[in-house]
Amino acid sequence: MDFYSLGYLGLFLSGFLSATIVPLASEGVLLFMLESEYSPVWCLIIATVANVLGGLTNYILGYWGNKKWFKKLGVKESKLNKFESYVQRYGFWLAFFSWVPIVGDPMTIALGFFKANFWKVTLLMIIGKFLRYLVFVIPYLY
């Protein structure tokens, strides 16, 4: 899919999808748009909102999930136990790192599955994802 030609909508879609289990990186679309002189502030807001909504989609899927469903998807019991220990140990604080490639998406699913506080997860997810995109946007603000 050519996200670039869709402008801000493409940035939103890439930001949303990259926060789900779809293997996609929104940073490339963000950088292309910034280089194409789209508004850095709007790019930051749109990418952050989209990425948070994608992460919350994972959280909700995890919240609605059950062990049988995850086992049918090929998730091993040992992996569930590992994520459970992380959630018990670190709780909603894990949501701050939901932007981290590879582990961030399963982590948001686990936070939902193990019923971490939705509002705290959302707040930390917003902060973490905003700061991640801000790193890319700062050079374009001046």
Side-chain angles (χ1 to χ4, degrees):
M1 176 179 261
D2 181 12
F3 292 110
Y4 311 114
S5 65
L6 298 174
Y8 290 123
L9 176 61
L11 178 61
F12 182 89
L13 292 173
S14 72
F16 180 87
L17 292 173
S18 69
T20 64
I21 56 173
V22 176
L24 187 70
S26 58
E27 295 84 1
V29 177
L30 175 66
L31 288 172
F32 180 83
M33 293 190 67
L34 292 169
E35 284 292 322
S36 300
E37 298 185 7
Y38 280 84
S39 166
V41 173
W42 278 112
C43 286
L44 176 61
I45 292 167
I46 290 168
T48 301
V49 168
N51 211 245
V52 169
L53 290 174
L56 291 176
T57 300
N58 283 346
Y59 177 93
I60 291 167
L61 288 172
Y63 192 89
W64 289 341
N66 62 54
K67 284 191 177 186
K68 289 181 186 178
W69 182 62
F70 286 119
K71 286 181 183 178
K72 283 183 182 180
L73 291 173
V75 179
K76 296 178 180 166
E77 184 82 26
S78 62
K79 196 64 117 173
L80 281 175
N81 293 337
K82 185 176 182 180
F83 275 113
E84 183 177 22
S85 70
Y86 287 145
V87 172
Q88 286 178 351
R89 185 170 182 186
Y90 303 109
F92 61 87
W93 292 102
L94 290 171
F96 179 81
F97 300 99
S98 62
W99 60 269
V100 175
I102 300 170
V103 297
D105 301 337
M107 197 169 12
T108 56
I109 294 170
L111 286 166
F113 185 74
F114 296 110
K115 313 298 190 255
N117 182 287
F118 176 81
W119 297 110
K120 291 176 181 178
V121 165
T122 301
L123 178 62
L124 286 169
M125 200 181 296
I126 290 169
I127 294 168
K129 290 174 182 285
F130 174 83
L131 292 174
R132 185 263 314 275
Y133 285 122
L134 184 62
V135 168
F136 290 95
V137 171
I138 283 176
Y140 297 90
L141 290 173
Y142 303 105

